Each structure stands twice: as structure tokens, then as C-alpha cells.
Amino acid sequence: MSLVSAAAPDVSDPHDYALDWALVDVETSGLTPRQHRVLSVAVVTLAPDGRQTGEFSTLLDPGCDPGPVHVHGLTAERLRGQPTFGQVAGRIAELLQGRVLVAHNAQFDYDFLAHEFARAGVHLPVARRLCTLALNRRVDPPTPDLRLGTLAAHYGVKQTRAHDALDDTRVLAGILRATLKEAARLDLSLPLVPCPPRQDPRFAPKAPKAPCAYRNPGRPAAGGPLVQGMKIAITGDTETARVDLVARSVAAGLNVMGSVSRHTSLLVTNDTASGSTKARRAITEGVPVVDERAFLRLLDDVRPGTPHEKPAAAEPAATTGTGTATTGTAAEPATGTVTATIPNQAAAARPAPAAAPAPPTPPATPPRRAETSAGVRPLSGRRVLVLGGTHPVSSRARGRIVELGGSAAVNLSASVTDVVLLPGAETDRRMARITSLLIPTHDAHWLTAPGTAPDATRDASPADSPAGDERARSPRVLPRGGVIDLPRTGTEFRWDVGASWAQQTRCEIDVVAFVVDEDEQVSCDEDFVFYGAPENPNGSVRLLSDGPTEQTIGVDLAAMPPAARRVVVCAAIDGAPAFGEVGAVQVTVASGTGAMPLAQVTVDAATTERTMVLAEIYRRGPLWRFRAVGQGYDHGLAALARTYGVDVAD
């Protein structure tokens, strides 16, 4: 069904980036693509010269509860009798064929389409996508947030009906046109993301694994009983149907794993000489092995385990919307200290792990004073880009910017107020654009006078920055080790931890997350969130690939499994360089998609490290907190994953 309107906004002539575009918006029954369904879809196609060449929109009958009707207004009665996705998949595929898919928070729309196409058995013809949210993060317009409605108002695009798929797509067309022109003015490259084929196994619909309610007590004593929470693996043929064996184990309170690691309590197999991967790993790790009949006898007498500690209930009072920074207590690292959360590997009743390469000692950093509300520091409200210099020199310059109250930028954007030029800056390709934009430039001496404004001709007030008239506030700038409470309001349960860096030509950077328990271990391998497995079992932690220079970990605190105590966000290099060659990584935490960051930190001063713990969101009593970490390690991602209990094949 097509809902054509003559009132579509002008989307002509986006000549700066001449590509064929397919702008997409979906309304859904929930937020997890493998569990929820698409309720409505709209596609608007644009030619390279900006002419609209096609438009399609329809409601869909999902065959399930439509979810949050108060958000999208699509009731079960309204959807009943509409076509199914499979009936319109061919038409949608025609519009997507040969075009770049464009959406606001594009991975959300792409993932839902990928799962719907997989269910319908139809090929999804999308090779690349562009996220207008990621593109606007690069442009950094002077807006209080980057939500669709806010950007529409900023760019002068009329929005008629929010959360209407067709209207949102038409609005998106206007936003795309305006953003492309601004990106061209700044000489920015587009954050195009390659899309895997629909046959990628991560798009196969599957039921989520229910988290085990008990802590892992380790391995059973010789001849002793099983205890709830023990990690069990099964390999080879069994007399009892595998699904029934797993169901009985789960019902008894055991944690059935898909692989064997040093944390496995027991392996069940009827053929110890099978040579399977699980059997070989069990021998290597010293995991006890029993046959199926012995295991069934053990299932009849599983002893009570220790439930995961339930967090204290949050008090009804809420902190302010800006969050609360802390300098720590005896049990909480002080702001300004460097604190990595690599887990304690000396857990009782578990074999000692193989020694991992020793992490390098991070370069010494001068103590930095905590954020205070009293007084304005010289660079408050300024966003400063450093060009040129060796990595140690530029790192010290960025650290000095933070000390003076400013924000250290890692890329050129519309919010950059100043540029510091170090030796070699003249060869940077961005210099021509900086000169044409008349952005003030300074030499290194601009940062050397502590306690005085580097530029006396400009007021340091944030209100005088170019974005001061529209931005509600600037993010709090944290040092490495800085901690901030996440507000405890009734709606701020979704937090995005984003990481961005300068464009790389010799390597790729992957952002990953580990959802860990009280023992700093994952409850199952699926709690390792990375490109190949972009969400944990219940969808509360997700990886969003926003572009080649930024990725985001989305965390839904309200849906976190009971065992989860911490979400550790890390980055790893795929390629030859180390983080010392990559340069600064900017990390932000924001309350949901498109929101202004609550806080940010520039992770810098790396040398030979190939993996980096960037930050973490962790539970402390009734609170959730964000900590900027910035701890690097010379070993690769596989070694880092093993320290958190993930079974990684050699």
C-alpha cells in the first residue's frame, strides 16, 4: 500500500556526494531484531542529483503483539489484515537494489530488515549503509542533541507526524541533503558501513538463552554432587534427546554452555575418545568428564547454589540530569587514577589460567584536578583539535587541553573552536579546510601558561562558543580513571558508550564489550559482544557499527541479566599498527540514541598496546556508574577475551 503525498520536502541536488540513495524507516514491536517484528516500513529513493525517484510505504501484520502502542500508535486492530513482510519483501528489495541504505541510527533499521528478509527467505540487496546520526556526529551541528526531530528543526525540515514511517523518511531526506552539504563544507568523508550478506548466521532467528540465576561454584569434588550454577558442556551423541537433556539441566539450575573453557565444571560425553574440540579442550583444562548415565544420576541430586546478588533497590530521589562526578572512597578509585578492570583470576576451586602477557605500564600522567562547579577554567567551553607532532607530544597537548577545562577533539567538526599546530601540522590534509573556515590556530605555547586564558581576546564562557546558543550544556570532561554517576531518573535506562578515532588506512579498530558477573567473568560466551555476535543473549547490550571511525555499545540497564555487574567496553586493533600510531580515542556516554553526551574522555598516551579497556558501566549499590579507564595491553583481543572467561579457539 502506497501513501503518496505531494507535501514531501525538497530533497533536490545533494551534489556533494553523488550516490543512489534508499532512505528507510521502520516502526517495530520492540528493540531486539531477532525477537521483535517490523510493523510498518517506508522507503524513499533518491537519484545522485537528489531527485526523488520512488516511494513506498505500508503497514504490516506482524502476527504478534505490536508492543509499545503509546510510541508508534499502531494497534493490533489497525494492523490486522495488512500484508505480511514476506508479501512485500520483493517490492522493498527492488527499491534497495544498487543503492546505499540510509537511516537515522541505521544499524537498527538494517538489522530489523535483515531479520525480516531472513524470515521471508528473500535476499537483502544492501551492500552499504549510511547512518545520518553518525554523519551528524562527524559534522557536530550546534544542537542540544542529534535526534531526528531536533535535526529537522535545525536544518529547517518540516516534520508532520513523528514515528510515522513515511513522514520520518521524508524528513530524513531533507536532513540528508543539508548534512551532506555541511559535510562537504568541512571536507568530511562519509561514514559508509559495508553490510554483510543476509546469509550471515547472526541473522538467523533464534530463541534467547535464559541466564543462569546462580553463581558458578567451580568444579564438583571427586565423587561429589553437582551444585546449581555449575557450567556444563555436552558433546557427541546422547541417548536422551539433546534438547531434553539441556532442558533438564537448566531446570535443575545448571548453566549449559556451548563450549569448554577453564571455567567449565563438567563435560558430558559418551565417547571420551571422540577427539571433538570440547573433549580435547576438557583434557587440556583438566575438566572432569562423565558419561550420560552418570550425569542423569547427578541431575537427581543437584545441591542448592548461591544466587547472584540482587542489587539494592534504587531510591526514588533522582540525581540531576548532568550526573554526579565522584572522587572516590576507599572502595572506589579516586577520580584521576588509572583503574583497569581486568578480572581477578585466582577464583577458588578453579584451575589457574595460563599466564597472559603482562600488560604494559601506562605512561605516567600528571595528576589532574577533578571537575568542579566553582569557577571557569581557561578553556571551558572550547573544543580544541591538535595537529602534527609525535604521538607523545600531541598526547601531552591533549592532556593539557583537558587540564585547562577544554575538550580535546580527535576529528575536525563544526564544533571545533581552536586548532593547536605542532611541528608537521602543515602536511595534514585538513589544514586547507581549517584555513578556509577561519578557525583560530595557535602554536604549542598557547597551552603553556597555567591559570591564564590562552586567548585573552575571547571570553572562556561556554555560552560564547559557536554552539553556545543552541546546546543545552557541554559534556562533562573526565580524566582517565574519572567516575560519574548515571542519573537515576525514571526514563534514563538506556545508555550509549561511543568511541571515535581519526581515520585509519593501515588497520581497522573493533569495539567490543564483556558483560561480567561478580567474579569478573562472563556468564556464557554469548556475553562477549563483538562484530560476529553483536548482542548478548537478552539484547540488553548491543554493538552498533556507526562507521569506520566510530562504534557504539548500547546498554539497557533495565534489562540487564541478574548476574551482570559490569559492562566492560574495549577496543582492539585488527592490523599492524598499535594504539600509539592510531592516536587519541574519544569515548562518550550518552542517555540513549542521539542524546547529547553526559560525559566524555580522551583516551591517549598509548604506545605499543593492541587492545584497550576504554570504559565501563558498573553497578554500585543502587547506582550505575560510568568509569573512564584507558588501560592498554600488548596482547590481542583473544587473550583479553580469555581473561574474562570467554572460550576463544586458538
Side-chain angles (χ1 to χ4, degrees):
M1 177 175 62
S2 178
L3 303 175
V4 179
S5 170
D10 176 20
V11 292
S12 61
D13 194 29
H15 59 274
D16 300 316
Y17 302 94
L19 297 170
D20 285 296
W21 309 100
L23 287 70
V24 175
D25 186 73
V26 298
E27 298 299 325
T28 64
S29 63
L31 299 174
T32 306
R34 58 182 166 79
Q35 298 178 30
H36 300 122
R37 301 300 299 271
V38 173
L39 308 179
S40 69
V41 59
V43 183
V44 170
T45 59
L46 304 179
D49 62 1
R51 290 179 299 104
Q52 181 171 324
T53 57
E55 180 177 282
F56 174 78
S57 175
T58 184
L59 300 178
L60 297 167
D61 187 345
C64 66
D65 187 290
V69 174
H70 66 284
V71 174
H72 50 61
L74 300 176
T75 64
E77 292 76 16
R78 187 178 175 191
L79 298 175
R80 190 175 297 117
Q82 299 292 339
T84 65
F85 190 92
Q87 291 172 324
V88 300
R91 173 63 176 138
I92 296 172
E94 291 176 3
L95 294 171
L96 298 177
Q97 182 69 48
R99 296 182 171 93
V100 177
L101 183 148
V102 181
H104 203 63
N105 191 20
Q107 182 156 350
F108 178 88
D109 298 79
Y110 172 76
D111 282 353
F112 266 97
L113 287 178
H115 281 81
E116 291 289 2
F117 271 86
R119 293 185 184 100
V122 179
H123 173 65
L124 174 60
V126 175
R128 293 185 298 173
R129 68 175 184 262
L130 173 68
C131 178
T132 50
L133 176 61
L135 180 57
N136 273 279
R137 275 199 288 261
R138 286 195 177 191
V139 170
D140 202 9
T143 56
D145 57 62
L146 298 178
R147 295 185 172 95
L148 191 71
T150 305
L151 291 175
H154 173 72
Y155 290 124
V157 180
K158 183 179 179 181
Q159 185 175 32
T160 305
R161 300 182 303 278
H163 293 292
D164 176 87
L166 183 57
D167 187 66
D168 283 352
T169 308
R170 291 169 174 165
V171 169
L172 184 64
I175 290 174
L176 175 65
R177 177 181 183 272
T179 308
L180 288 177
K181 289 187 175 181
E182 185 65 7
R185 186 181 72 87
L186 295 167
D187 196 24
L188 301 178
S189 58
L190 297 182
L192 295 169
V193 177
C195 298
R198 179 195 61 79
Q199 291 82 0
D200 192 304
R202 64 192 171 123
F203 293 125
K206 57 183 178 181
K209 175 182 176 180
C212 183
Y214 303 94
R215 297 183 62 172
N216 182 9
R219 294 172 180 170
L226 299 179
V227 179
Q228 289 176 324
M230 285 184 173
K231 293 187 174 183
I232 307 299
I234 305 171
T235 187
D237 295 331
T238 56
E239 296 179 8
T240 307
R242 176 70 68 90
V243 65
D244 293 334
L245 199 58
V246 170
R248 288 188 58 181
S249 301
V250 171
L254 301 176
N255 191 358
V256 181
M257 308 295 291
S259 59
V260 172
S261 73
R262 58 188 174 85
H263 300 285
T264 302
S265 305
L266 193 73
L267 175 66
V268 180
T269 179
N270 290 325
D271 183 6
T272 56
S274 66
S276 70
T277 300
K278 292 179 184 177
R280 294 198 308 270
R281 189 66 184 269
I283 294 172
T284 301
E285 300 291 350
V287 175
V289 179
V290 298
D291 62 24
E292 179 184 354
R293 293 185 179 182
F295 179 63
L296 290 173
R297 290 194 296 270
L298 289 170
L299 277 180
D300 291 332
D301 185 29
V302 177
R303 303 298 170 86
T306 303
H308 289 291
E309 297 175 5
K310 293 184 178 180
E315 300 173 6
T319 62
T320 63
T322 57
T324 302
T326 178
T327 55
T329 64
E332 182 68 44
T335 298
T337 61
V338 180
T339 309
T341 55
I342 296 302
N344 178 3
Q345 300 185 21
R350 299 181 188 177
T361 302
T365 55
R368 297 168 180 168
R369 55 188 173 186
E371 291 284 325
T372 64
S373 58
V376 177
R377 285 184 275 167
L379 290 185
S380 293
R382 309 281 272 275
R383 187 164 175 79
V384 185
L385 178 66
V386 177
L387 296 184
T390 63
H391 179 66
V393 173
S394 61
S395 175
R396 286 194 294 271
R398 284 186 286 267
R400 179 60 176 160
I401 290 166
V402 174
E403 289 176 3
L404 293 172
S407 170
V410 297
N411 285 305
L412 178 63
S413 71
S415 67
V416 170
T417 60
D418 301 89
V419 179
V420 172
L421 304 180
L422 301 178
E426 65 278 359
T427 63
D428 193 295
R429 61 178 293 272
R430 292 170 287 185
M431 275 304 304
R433 187 63 56 173
I434 289 168
T435 301
S436 68
L437 294 174
L438 303 179
I439 300 175
T441 59
H442 317 272
D443 61 23
H445 297 294
W446 190 66
L447 300 173
T448 58
T452 62
D455 186 347
T457 64
R458 295 186 59 175
D459 193 319
S461 169
D464 285 345
S465 68
D469 56 343
E470 291 192 57
R471 293 184 196 273
R473 57 178 172 80
S474 296
R476 184 185 297 274
V477 178
L478 296 178
R480 290 172 62 202
V483 176
I484 190 169
D485 292 340
L486 300 181
R488 290 178 289 150
T489 68
T491 57
E492 290 179 310
F493 294 116
R494 296 184 179 277
W495 291 89
D496 286 351
V497 179
S500 60
W501 48 86
Q503 185 79 42
Q504 304 297 311
T505 58
R506 298 177 55 212
C507 68
E508 293 183 356
I509 298 176
D510 295 317
V511 174
V512 304
F514 301 92
V515 185
V516 298
D517 58 17
E518 303 98 328
D519 301 320
E520 302 291 348
Q521 298 291 296
V522 296
S523 295
C524 58
D525 288 345
E526 291 80 7
D527 277 337
F528 173 33
V529 177
F530 66 107
Y531 179 77
E535 62 184 47
N536 68 330
N538 76 338
S540 58
V541 178
R542 301 189 69 226
L543 169 66
L544 305 175
S545 298
D546 304 317
T549 63
E550 61 175 301
Q551 293 178 29
T552 300
I553 296 293
V555 181
D556 183 355
L557 298 180
M560 291 291 283
R565 288 297 177 271
R566 195 181 304 267
V567 179
V568 186
V569 180
C570 308
I573 290 179
D574 182 9
F579 273 105
E581 298 172 73
V582 168
V585 178
Q586 182 172 283
V587 182
T588 62
V589 59
S591 177
T593 302
M596 170 69 72
L598 172 68
Q600 67 182 42
V601 60
T602 301
V603 176
D604 216 339
T607 53
T608 61
E609 296 88 337
R610 296 184 51 76
T611 55
M612 183 85 67
V613 179
L614 300 176
E616 60 185 13
I617 289 179
Y618 66 100
R619 208 192 302 255
R620 183 171 173 81
L623 298 175
W624 284 94
R625 288 179 164 179
F626 171 83
R627 177 187 286 126
V629 180
Q631 176 68 62
Y633 299 90
D634 284 349
H635 53 67
L637 180 58
L640 182 66
R642 290 188 183 104
T643 65
Y644 289 107
V646 179
D647 180 42
V648 180
D650 295 326

